[in-house]
Amino acid sequence: MHALLPGADPDKPVILGEVPEPEPAQDELVLTVEAYSVNRGETFQLDGQLDRTWPGWRPGKDVAGTVVRAAADGTGPAEGTRVVAHPPAYGWAERVAVPTGAVAELPDSVDAVTAAALPLAGITALRLLRAAGPMAGRRVLITGASGGVGHYVTELAAASGAAVTAVSAGPRRGARLVELGAVDLVTAVEEAEGPYDVVLESVGGDSLPAALARLAAGGLLVWFGQASRTPVTLDFFDFFKGPAQARITHFDYTRSESTYGDDLAALVRLVATGRLHPEIGTVRDWSRTAEVIGELRGRRVRGNAVLTVE
């Protein structure tokens, strides 16, 4: 079976190779992959900035396709069912085994390319908003909003009644965020006019302290990423300059009581009913994955990047 393997050359982050067919556990199904999405975290793993989790790791957490082997324990969809899935890895391949609890069925109205953009970014957005609490009537600031998570968060929060200010690297990259409901678009945190009840911060470096300074007294800052790869330095006394009694909480999308399958089903339902619109910046054949990774690293892709497997 063909699959993309981690490359040894920074200019070739992945290479096409041969791997054994997946051997599913009792509660896993096998699907033939029709499309997958590339996440920024996977690019960090490929260049060694994040732990690759285990020996023999291969990338691939967001996939869509058709079940070709149902789970042996009788759970999950039957063979021939179209699905979207969130495996722990190995999805950039012709076939992949996935726990049935990380799968959701697809209606005819949702194609594989659209579905492949949903798992990690969509699940993160859903769980991030749950962690932030009720949105109606609240002023919300989100940094790094031009990526997949930012587009989902903006649309979902705005639909829930929040006044969202989105931070994007440039007006062109952020234009879609306004269409999805953001009331304000700025190109730097320093341009945002607070105070904000909730700040959703994913850039790190100087971005987090600047965002904290715009948080309302008693407000909440949810720290869910560090895309700049630059550590954050905070001054305790900055809390007394405005956001007195404010809270900072770390967010990890994997820590949740709900299953990936439940959240995937919710995302599919929102897309099918026209209430959620995945922002897909590029769609290409999977032979061009290394090229797409380079563009993601250079922040030249807005929203999600999806590859199709022929």
PDB file of all heavy atoms in Angstrom, residues 1 12 53 95 108 121 160 166-167 178 223 233-235 264 275 282 285 296:
ATOM      1  N   MET A   1       0.849  -1.189   0.000  1.00  0.00           N
ATOM      2  CA  MET A   1       0.000   0.000   0.000  1.00  0.00           C
ATOM      3  C   MET A   1       0.888   1.244   0.000  1.00  0.00           C
ATOM      4  O   MET A   1       1.909   1.299   0.676  1.00  0.00           O
ATOM      5  CB  MET A   1      -0.889  -0.011   1.247  1.00  0.00           C
ATOM      6  CG  MET A   1      -1.704   1.229   1.462  1.00  0.00           C
ATOM      7  SD  MET A   1      -2.675   1.191   2.986  1.00  0.00           S
ATOM      8  CE  MET A   1      -1.453   1.628   4.214  1.00  0.00           C
ATOM      9  N   LYS A  12      12.085  18.167   1.652  1.00  0.00           N
ATOM     10  CA  LYS A  12      11.205  17.046   1.308  1.00  0.00           C
ATOM     11  C   LYS A  12      10.651  16.461   2.602  1.00  0.00           C
ATOM     12  O   LYS A  12      11.096  15.413   3.070  1.00  0.00           O
ATOM     13  CB  LYS A  12      11.964  15.986   0.517  1.00  0.00           C
ATOM     14  CG  LYS A  12      12.415  16.449  -0.865  1.00  0.00           C
ATOM     15  CD  LYS A  12      13.126  15.327  -1.613  1.00  0.00           C
ATOM     16  CE  LYS A  12      13.551  15.789  -3.010  1.00  0.00           C
ATOM     17  NZ  LYS A  12      14.264  14.709  -3.746  1.00  0.00           N
ATOM     18  N   THR A  53       5.442  11.292  18.763  1.00  0.00           N
ATOM     19  CA  THR A  53       4.545  10.463  19.567  1.00  0.00           C
ATOM     20  C   THR A  53       5.046   9.041  19.773  1.00  0.00           C
ATOM     21  O   THR A  53       5.060   8.548  20.872  1.00  0.00           O
ATOM     22  CB  THR A  53       3.127  10.431  18.953  1.00  0.00           C
ATOM     23  OG1 THR A  53       2.698  11.776  18.707  1.00  0.00           O
ATOM     24  CG2 THR A  53       2.143   9.766  19.906  1.00  0.00           C
ATOM     25  N   ARG A  95      -5.100   3.592   2.623  1.00  0.00           N
ATOM     26  CA  ARG A  95      -6.071   3.063   3.582  1.00  0.00           C
ATOM     27  C   ARG A  95      -5.564   3.296   4.999  1.00  0.00           C
ATOM     28  O   ARG A  95      -4.354   3.368   5.228  1.00  0.00           O
ATOM     29  CB  ARG A  95      -6.307   1.558   3.343  1.00  0.00           C
ATOM     30  CG  ARG A  95      -7.137   1.268   2.100  1.00  0.00           C
ATOM     31  CD  ARG A  95      -7.102  -0.179   1.691  1.00  0.00           C
ATOM     32  NE  ARG A  95      -5.802  -0.607   1.204  1.00  0.00           N
ATOM     33  CZ  ARG A  95      -5.332  -0.343  -0.015  1.00  0.00           C
ATOM     34  NH1 ARG A  95      -6.061   0.359  -0.868  1.00  0.00           N
ATOM     35  NH2 ARG A  95      -4.133  -0.772  -0.385  1.00  0.00           N
ATOM     36  N   ASP A 108     -25.063  12.404   1.556  1.00  0.00           N
ATOM     37  CA  ASP A 108     -24.676  12.632   0.163  1.00  0.00           C
ATOM     38  C   ASP A 108     -24.321  14.093  -0.113  1.00  0.00           C
ATOM     39  O   ASP A 108     -23.548  14.383  -1.023  1.00  0.00           O
ATOM     40  CB  ASP A 108     -25.815  12.202  -0.773  1.00  0.00           C
ATOM     41  CG  ASP A 108     -26.032  10.698  -0.765  1.00  0.00           C
ATOM     42  OD1 ASP A 108     -25.111   9.971  -0.357  1.00  0.00           O
ATOM     43  OD2 ASP A 108     -27.128  10.255  -1.163  1.00  0.00           O
ATOM     44  N   ALA A 121      -9.460  20.739  13.144  1.00  0.00           N
ATOM     45  CA  ALA A 121      -9.815  22.157  13.291  1.00  0.00           C
ATOM     46  C   ALA A 121     -11.234  22.320  13.805  1.00  0.00           C
ATOM     47  O   ALA A 121     -11.504  23.153  14.682  1.00  0.00           O
ATOM     48  CB  ALA A 121      -9.654  22.875  11.952  1.00  0.00           C
ATOM     49  N   SER A 160     -23.611  32.433  17.544  1.00  0.00           N
ATOM     50  CA  SER A 160     -24.125  32.306  18.916  1.00  0.00           C
ATOM     51  C   SER A 160     -24.344  33.655  19.592  1.00  0.00           C
ATOM     52  O   SER A 160     -24.693  33.708  20.772  1.00  0.00           O
ATOM     53  CB  SER A 160     -23.149  31.465  19.756  1.00  0.00           C
ATOM     54  OG  SER A 160     -23.029  30.162  19.228  1.00  0.00           O
ATOM     55  N   ALA A 166     -11.375  39.564  14.911  1.00  0.00           N
ATOM     56  CA  ALA A 166     -10.415  38.576  14.425  1.00  0.00           C
ATOM     57  C   ALA A 166      -9.093  39.248  14.094  1.00  0.00           C
ATOM     58  O   ALA A 166      -9.071  40.319  13.483  1.00  0.00           O
ATOM     59  CB  ALA A 166     -10.968  37.874  13.186  1.00  0.00           C
ATOM     60  N   VAL A 167      -7.998  38.610  14.490  1.00  0.00           N
ATOM     61  CA  VAL A 167      -6.659  39.105  14.165  1.00  0.00           C
ATOM     62  C   VAL A 167      -6.091  38.238  13.054  1.00  0.00           C
ATOM     63  O   VAL A 167      -5.953  37.024  13.204  1.00  0.00           O
ATOM     64  CB  VAL A 167      -5.722  39.064  15.389  1.00  0.00           C
ATOM     65  CG1 VAL A 167      -4.370  39.680  15.032  1.00  0.00           C
ATOM     66  CG2 VAL A 167      -6.341  39.788  16.568  1.00  0.00           C
ATOM     67  N   VAL A 178     -14.715  38.234   8.009  1.00  0.00           N
ATOM     68  CA  VAL A 178     -15.795  39.231   8.079  1.00  0.00           C
ATOM     69  C   VAL A 178     -17.065  38.652   7.472  1.00  0.00           C
ATOM     70  O   VAL A 178     -18.168  38.821   8.003  1.00  0.00           O
ATOM     71  CB  VAL A 178     -15.377  40.526   7.364  1.00  0.00           C
ATOM     72  CG1 VAL A 178     -16.521  41.532   7.358  1.00  0.00           C
ATOM     73  CG2 VAL A 178     -14.149  41.130   8.046  1.00  0.00           C
ATOM     74  N   TRP A 223      -5.672  29.889  26.211  1.00  0.00           N
ATOM     75  CA  TRP A 223      -4.436  29.748  25.447  1.00  0.00           C
ATOM     76  C   TRP A 223      -4.444  28.376  24.797  1.00  0.00           C
ATOM     77  O   TRP A 223      -4.363  27.347  25.474  1.00  0.00           O
ATOM     78  CB  TRP A 223      -3.259  29.894  26.406  1.00  0.00           C
ATOM     79  CG  TRP A 223      -1.915  29.963  25.766  1.00  0.00           C
ATOM     80  CD1 TRP A 223      -1.617  29.953  24.434  1.00  0.00           C
ATOM     81  CD2 TRP A 223      -0.666  30.048  26.455  1.00  0.00           C
ATOM     82  NE1 TRP A 223      -0.273  30.038  24.244  1.00  0.00           N
ATOM     83  CE2 TRP A 223       0.340  30.101  25.469  1.00  0.00           C
ATOM     84  CE3 TRP A 223      -0.306  30.100  27.805  1.00  0.00           C
ATOM     85  CZ2 TRP A 223       1.695  30.184  25.794  1.00  0.00           C
ATOM     86  CZ3 TRP A 223       1.031  30.187  28.134  1.00  0.00           C
ATOM     87  CH2 TRP A 223       2.032  30.237  27.138  1.00  0.00           C
ATOM     88  N   THR A 233       6.402  35.393  27.656  1.00  0.00           N
ATOM     89  CA  THR A 233       6.834  35.943  28.936  1.00  0.00           C
ATOM     90  C   THR A 233       5.739  36.854  29.465  1.00  0.00           C
ATOM     91  O   THR A 233       5.280  37.771  28.767  1.00  0.00           O
ATOM     92  CB  THR A 233       8.134  36.752  28.785  1.00  0.00           C
ATOM     93  OG1 THR A 233       9.162  35.897  28.292  1.00  0.00           O
ATOM     94  CG2 THR A 233       8.559  37.324  30.128  1.00  0.00           C
ATOM     95  N   LEU A 234       5.272  36.598  30.690  1.00  0.00           N
ATOM     96  CA  LEU A 234       4.223  37.400  31.303  1.00  0.00           C
ATOM     97  C   LEU A 234       4.754  38.089  32.558  1.00  0.00           C
ATOM     98  O   LEU A 234       5.554  37.515  33.303  1.00  0.00           O
ATOM     99  CB  LEU A 234       3.025  36.529  31.679  1.00  0.00           C
ATOM    100  CG  LEU A 234       2.180  35.948  30.542  1.00  0.00           C
ATOM    101  CD1 LEU A 234       1.095  35.038  31.106  1.00  0.00           C
ATOM    102  CD2 LEU A 234       1.559  37.072  29.731  1.00  0.00           C
ATOM    103  N   ASP A 235       4.282  39.300  32.773  1.00  0.00           N
ATOM    104  CA  ASP A 235       4.604  40.061  33.979  1.00  0.00           C
ATOM    105  C   ASP A 235       3.384  40.030  34.888  1.00  0.00           C
ATOM    106  O   ASP A 235       2.296  40.471  34.508  1.00  0.00           O
ATOM    107  CB  ASP A 235       4.946  41.500  33.595  1.00  0.00           C
ATOM    108  CG  ASP A 235       5.432  42.322  34.788  1.00  0.00           C
ATOM    109  OD1 ASP A 235       5.091  41.966  35.943  1.00  0.00           O
ATOM    110  OD2 ASP A 235       6.132  43.313  34.567  1.00  0.00           O
ATOM    111  N   LEU A 264     -17.672  15.047  15.489  1.00  0.00           N
ATOM    112  CA  LEU A 264     -17.669  14.985  14.028  1.00  0.00           C
ATOM    113  C   LEU A 264     -19.092  14.959  13.484  1.00  0.00           C
ATOM    114  O   LEU A 264     -19.400  15.623  12.492  1.00  0.00           O
ATOM    115  CB  LEU A 264     -16.900  13.748  13.562  1.00  0.00           C
ATOM    116  CG  LEU A 264     -15.378  13.819  13.637  1.00  0.00           C
ATOM    117  CD1 LEU A 264     -14.766  12.465  13.307  1.00  0.00           C
ATOM    118  CD2 LEU A 264     -14.833  14.878  12.692  1.00  0.00           C
ATOM    119  N   ARG A 275     -25.072  25.736   8.136  1.00  0.00           N
ATOM    120  CA  ARG A 275     -24.752  26.595   9.279  1.00  0.00           C
ATOM    121  C   ARG A 275     -23.257  26.678   9.565  1.00  0.00           C
ATOM    122  O   ARG A 275     -22.828  27.434  10.439  1.00  0.00           O
ATOM    123  CB  ARG A 275     -25.499  26.093  10.514  1.00  0.00           C
ATOM    124  CG  ARG A 275     -27.018  26.131  10.351  1.00  0.00           C
ATOM    125  CD  ARG A 275     -27.730  25.433  11.476  1.00  0.00           C
ATOM    126  NE  ARG A 275     -27.472  26.046  12.769  1.00  0.00           N
ATOM    127  CZ  ARG A 275     -27.835  25.493  13.929  1.00  0.00           C
ATOM    128  NH1 ARG A 275     -28.447  24.317  13.952  1.00  0.00           N
ATOM    129  NH2 ARG A 275     -27.574  26.124  15.063  1.00  0.00           N
ATOM    130  N   THR A 282      -6.870  25.482  -0.388  1.00  0.00           N
ATOM    131  CA  THR A 282      -6.303  24.821  -1.564  1.00  0.00           C
ATOM    132  C   THR A 282      -6.709  23.359  -1.562  1.00  0.00           C
ATOM    133  O   THR A 282      -6.838  22.744  -0.495  1.00  0.00           O
ATOM    134  CB  THR A 282      -4.761  24.948  -1.594  1.00  0.00           C
ATOM    135  OG1 THR A 282      -4.268  24.420  -2.828  1.00  0.00           O
ATOM    136  CG2 THR A 282      -4.101  24.220  -0.442  1.00  0.00           C
ATOM    137  N   ASP A 285      -3.758  17.217  -5.550  1.00  0.00           N
ATOM    138  CA  ASP A 285      -3.469  15.799  -5.499  1.00  0.00           C
ATOM    139  C   ASP A 285      -2.427  15.524  -4.416  1.00  0.00           C
ATOM    140  O   ASP A 285      -1.538  16.355  -4.180  1.00  0.00           O
ATOM    141  CB  ASP A 285      -2.947  15.332  -6.861  1.00  0.00           C
ATOM    142  CG  ASP A 285      -2.683  13.840  -6.879  1.00  0.00           C
ATOM    143  OD1 ASP A 285      -3.636  13.071  -7.055  1.00  0.00           O
ATOM    144  OD2 ASP A 285      -1.507  13.453  -6.690  1.00  0.00           O
ATOM    145  N   LEU A 296       2.049  26.036   3.874  1.00  0.00           N
ATOM    146  CA  LEU A 296       1.490  26.189   5.220  1.00  0.00           C
ATOM    147  C   LEU A 296       2.525  26.787   6.162  1.00  0.00           C
ATOM    148  O   LEU A 296       2.213  27.663   6.971  1.00  0.00           O
ATOM    149  CB  LEU A 296       1.011  24.840   5.750  1.00  0.00           C
ATOM    150  CG  LEU A 296      -0.305  24.321   5.207  1.00  0.00           C
ATOM    151  CD1 LEU A 296      -0.520  22.860   5.625  1.00  0.00           C
ATOM    152  CD2 LEU A 296      -1.476  25.163   5.711  1.00  0.00           C
TER     153      LEU A 296
END
